[in-house]
């Protein structure tokens, strides 16, 4: 009997550990989604700010830039902090920054308040982009293989979708249209912090927290050949996300002739929802193939979007938005999967910092430039500029996409392009087998 209990103890411990890791995974995913839901909350309010407080398209675009600057600053300064303080503490810090931004946004009547509030939310989501996503990857189940990359890369998209729809509905139908959505976000942020507090730690804290605040973004040498194409994917798709935040509120009202905050929220959500649903589809292909397929779909959607704006057709605009969103979901998750392939826990936070630094740079700088150009060019012309960026990024991806092709020691291998589940090359890295041929 004593021997049987001894054999049973490891099984019980393993089961308990699996349960606590599932709690950590769920808590981290919920926190990431809630953080980005709060980030999307102001979007349906932008037209109210324009009408009631005299905000301009330039001011709204600068608010997008302020959010991106906060995010970039957090990625550069806080991206590796979770390796030293642990995932839980840094997750709670991230949620607290977002909460503080929401409190400030409860009283927006001038552009400075909006900018500072968006800056704080950007700091929080920037920290979450690295720390919470690393927590997700640490705690994710081993099956299905694509779950960690999809949850970490598409959690922000899901959060933006939920946040913008909820905000549009509450602004249009709820009491206190300028305040209620922020109060709801504050409640969910507090709930998320409580979930994180009772979840297990997945990273062993190490010395050097102060040194980690010095900006450093790194991608392992074995993945650097993937970075140029991944950067093109992130830049083009997130630039378009910035376009949706900065200009679609005015475009929907002025060009597509609807003032409904809920319709505005649904238009923005159409771009994000299909991104989330499109991401698992990329798991059927190798990372290179999925990036090509995704960017071709993204370009088709952008062409449809420009056509819909020129023709002032809301239905076509929504359809094109859905196609572009599905394409970006496939492409982004595939690019992230390639960069994360074979990474160690200590490497994940710096890799995510690099990924989101490129993403938010793609959202910020085109928004800053196009915001200034909006004084000279019309909204349809600005949309054409984003379409041109999509053309360039798609061509670069189609020509240059690669799969991971080095093992953990850095030696070169070949890539298989078998499009069933994860690629054979990616599986053979994990199993120690050498794949058969290279996919270029």
């Amino acid at each position: 009997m004593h021997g049987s209990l001894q054999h049973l103890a490891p099984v019980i411990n393993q089961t308990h550990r699996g349960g606590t890791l599932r709690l950590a995974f769920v808590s981290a995913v919920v926190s990431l989604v809630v953080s980005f839901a709060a980030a999307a909350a102001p979007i349906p309010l932008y037209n109210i700010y324009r009408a009631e407080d005299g905000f301009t398209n330039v001011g709204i675009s600068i608010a997008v830039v302020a959010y991106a600057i906060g995010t970039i600053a957090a990625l550069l300064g806080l991206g590796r902090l979770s390796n030293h303080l642990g995932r839980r503490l840094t997750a709670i810090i991230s949620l607290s920054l977002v909460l503080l931004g929401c409190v400030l946004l409860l009283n927006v009547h001038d552009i400075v308040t909006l900018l500072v509030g968006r800056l704080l939310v950007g700091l929080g989501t920037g920290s979450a982009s690295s720390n919470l996503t690393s927590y997700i990857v640490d705690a994710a189940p081993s099956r299905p293989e694509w779950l960690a990359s999809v949850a970490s890369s598409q959690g922000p998209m899901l959060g933006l979708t939920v946040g913008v729809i909820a905000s549009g509905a509450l602004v249009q139908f709820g009491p206190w249209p300028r305040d209620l959505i922020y109060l709801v976000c504050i409640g969910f942020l507090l709930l998320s912090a409580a979930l994180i507090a009772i979840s297990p730690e997945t990273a062993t804290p190490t010395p050097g927290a102060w040194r980690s605040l010095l900006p450093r973004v790194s991608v392992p040498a074995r993945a650097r050949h993937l970075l140029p194409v991944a950067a093109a994917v992130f830049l083009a798709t997130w630039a378009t996300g910035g376009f949706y935040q900065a200009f679609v509120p005015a475009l929907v009202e002025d060009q597509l002739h609807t003032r409904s905050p809920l319709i505005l929220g649904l238009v923005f959500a159409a771009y994000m929802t299909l991104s989330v649903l499109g991401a698992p589809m990329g798991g059927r292909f190798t990372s290179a193939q999925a990036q090509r397929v995704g960017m071709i779909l993204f370009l088709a959607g952008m062409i449809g979007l420009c056509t819909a704006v020129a023709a002032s057709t809301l239905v076509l605009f929504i359809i094109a938005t859905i196609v572009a969103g599905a394409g970006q979901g496939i492409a982004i998750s595939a690019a992230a999967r390639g960069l994360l392939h074979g990474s160690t826990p200590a490497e994940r936070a710096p890799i995510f910092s690099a990924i989101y630094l490129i993403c938010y740079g793609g959202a910020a700088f085109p928004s800053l430039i196009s915001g200034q150009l909006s004084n000279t060019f019309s909204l349809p012309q600005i949309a054409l500029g984003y379409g041109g960026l999509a053309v360039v990024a798609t061509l670069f991806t189609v020509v240059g996409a690669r799969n991971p092709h080095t093992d953990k020691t850095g030696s070169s291998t070949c890539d298989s392009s078998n499009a069933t589940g994860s690629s054979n090359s990616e599986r053979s890295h994990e199993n120690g087998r050498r794949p058969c041929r290279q996919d270029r």
Side-chain angles (χ1 to χ4, degrees):
M1 176 67 71
H2 179 68
S4 298
L5 291 175
Q6 281 185 321
H7 287 296
L8 184 60
V11 176
I12 295 174
N13 290 336
Q14 186 66 29
T15 302
H16 175 71
R17 174 170 173 77
T20 58
L21 281 179
R22 281 193 293 273
L23 173 62
F25 177 75
V26 171
S27 299
V29 171
V30 168
S31 298
L32 187 66
V33 170
V34 168
S35 297
F36 279 87
I43 294 173
L45 286 162
Y46 283 155
N47 282 338
I48 292 179
Y49 297 156
R50 287 202 309 159
E52 297 182 2
D53 300 310
F55 291 6
T56 64
N57 289 336
V58 176
I60 298 299
S61 67
I62 293 175
V64 174
V65 173
Y67 170 78
I69 288 174
T71 304
I72 291 170
L75 290 169
L76 289 173
L78 306 177
R80 295 178 291 133
L81 196 59
S82 67
N83 290 336
H84 304 282
L85 299 183
R87 309 300 194 210
R88 290 196 306 168
L89 178 57
T90 51
I92 290 173
I93 291 171
S94 302
L95 292 168
S96 299
L97 287 168
V98 178
L99 189 149
L100 184 59
C102 287
V103 170
L104 193 60
L105 291 171
L106 281 168
N107 191 34
V108 172
H109 292 286
D110 60 84
I111 193 66
V112 173
T113 304
L114 177 63
L115 296 181
V116 176
R118 294 299 284 162
L119 181 69
L120 285 170
V121 173
L123 285 169
T125 54
S127 175
S129 296
S130 174
N131 300 321
L132 280 172
T133 49
S134 296
Y135 202 6
I136 288 170
V137 174
D138 289 350
S142 59
R143 293 289 184 274
E145 295 175 358
W146 48 262
L147 181 60
S149 66
V150 169
S152 56
S153 66
Q154 298 307 310
M157 301 299 180
L158 178 60
L160 292 170
T161 301
V162 172
V164 77
I165 292 176
S167 179
L170 292 177
V171 169
Q172 184 163 341
F173 301 113
W176 321 308
R178 295 174 65 114
D179 302 324
L180 183 57
I181 182 60
Y182 297 124
L183 294 172
V184 171
C185 288
I186 288 168
F188 276 102
L189 287 164
L190 291 171
L191 174 62
S192 299
L195 287 173
I196 292 292
I198 64 173
S199 297
E201 180 58 69
T202 59
T204 302
T206 60
W210 288 110
R211 289 195 305 274
S212 75
L213 298 178
L214 295 174
R216 193 188 81 184
V217 177
S218 64
V219 174
R222 65 179 176 275
R224 287 175 191 162
H225 70 288
L226 305 174
L227 194 57
V229 170
V233 170
F234 297 144
L235 282 169
T237 55
W238 279 68
T240 303
F243 167 77
Y244 271 80
Q245 291 187 57
F247 296 105
V248 165
L251 190 149
V252 166
E253 182 173 324
D254 300 341
Q255 301 294 131
L256 303 178
H257 313 300
T258 177
R259 294 177 177 271
S260 167
L262 180 57
I263 293 295
L264 172 58
L266 291 173
V267 167
F268 185 82
Y271 184 64
M272 298 301 171
T273 302
L274 267 292
S275 175
V276 176
L277 298 179
M281 296 169 57
R284 300 171 178 267
F285 305 98
T286 67
S287 57
Q289 290 171 331
Q291 287 175 83
R292 294 186 184 109
V293 170
M295 288 304 290
I296 290 170
L297 277 176
F298 174 72
L299 177 58
M302 290 300 294
I303 292 171
L305 183 148
C306 293
T307 303
V309 171
S312 298
T313 306
L314 180 60
V315 173
L316 178 59
F317 186 88
I318 294 174
I319 293 172
T321 294
I322 289 171
V323 174
Q328 83 145 3
I330 295 171
I332 287 175
S333 63
R337 170 160 50 107
L339 293 174
L340 284 167
H341 182 73
S343 63
T344 65
E347 291 173 334
R348 288 168 191 159
I351 290 173
F352 276 117
S353 292
I355 289 173
Y356 284 106
L357 183 62
I358 296 169
C359 289
Y360 286 106
F365 294 112
S367 293
L368 181 61
I369 294 169
S370 56
Q372 299 303 313
L373 292 176
S374 67
N375 290 324
T376 305
F377 295 95
S378 67
L379 289 178
Q381 290 172 325
I382 298 244
L384 279 175
Y386 282 92
L389 179 62
V391 170
V392 173
T394 301
L395 290 175
F396 188 71
T397 303
V398 168
V399 172
R402 302 286 186 270
N403 285 321
H405 64 261
T406 56
D407 61 22
K408 293 183 179 180
T409 65
S411 59
S412 181
T413 65
C414 298
D415 289 323
S416 168
S417 58
N418 188 332
T420 56
S422 296
S423 67
N424 285 342
S425 66
E426 291 164 357
R427 291 183 180 182
S428 57
H429 288 309
E430 296 171 1
N431 298 329
R433 298 193 301 270
R434 185 181 183 89
C436 57
R437 64 183 178 84
Q438 197 170 32
D439 174 44
R440 292 279 182 184

